[in-house]
Amino acid sequence: QVQLVESGGGLVQPGGSLRLSCRASASGRTLSTHTMGWFRQAPGKEREFVATTWWVGTNAYYSDSVKGRFTVSRDDAKNTVYLQMNSLKPEDTAIYYCAAARRIDGIRRGVSDYDYWGQGTQVTVSS
């Protein structure tokens, strides 16, 4: 079982920045065997992929809508994955979710690819 807790959401003006955190804890498993993902869901829309990374190495993959503006990183000592969001736009407004998948093979972009989810944190981009 993996528990995920997000934090860092809030209200920001267009062009501003926010950093989301996802603290992970695992019972009976090591986090290195999991893929980590960030998703978001805007009102009236389906949950969509934002980014994915792993606990080993430095690779990360992004959706086209956030590429070049968002960056994923992690702090292994804190079991925490971050999503740094720069140049935010009103269309980035959504609830952002952290997720974990029990596999590390391939790039996972689908909601159904992930086994564990955090509670979500609201990001609002508005002037």
Side-chain angles (χ1 to χ4, degrees):
Q1 192 76 9
V2 175
Q3 292 81 41
L4 304 170
V5 179
E6 300 104 331
S7 61
L11 173 65
V12 64
Q13 292 186 343
S17 298
L18 277 177
R19 189 178 77 161
L20 306 183
S21 300
C22 173
R23 181 170 53 85
S25 58
S27 56
R29 290 177 175 268
T30 61
L31 290 171
S32 63
T33 61
H34 293 74
T35 296
M36 301 300 295
W38 284 99
F39 288 76
R40 66 186 181 185
Q41 188 166 16
K45 294 187 176 181
E46 294 186 350
R47 194 169 297 188
E48 65 172 4
F49 169 78
V50 173
T52 186
T53 190
W54 298 265
W55 292 99
V56 178
T58 60
N59 288 339
Y61 293 89
Y62 304 89
S63 67
D64 289 342
S65 61
V66 308
K67 196 176 298 181
R69 299 188 297 122
F70 291 12
T71 303
V72 174
S73 62
R74 69 176 199 267
D75 184 332
D76 294 344
K78 296 181 179 179
N79 286 346
T80 300
V81 176
Y82 302 100
L83 182 67
Q84 177 68 43
M85 306 185 296
N86 298 328
S87 302
L88 282 161
K89 306 174 182 179
E91 51 264 43
D92 294 318
T93 296
I95 299 174
Y96 282 71
Y97 295 91
C98 176
R102 289 192 293 259
R103 299 178 62 172
I104 57 174
D105 54 329
I107 302 169
R108 299 184 170 273
R109 298 185 178 92
V111 171
S112 60
D113 290 335
Y114 289 81
D115 304 292
Y116 306 102
W117 294 85
Q119 82 285 358
T121 184
Q122 176 71 47
V123 172
T124 303
V125 184
S126 175
S127 55

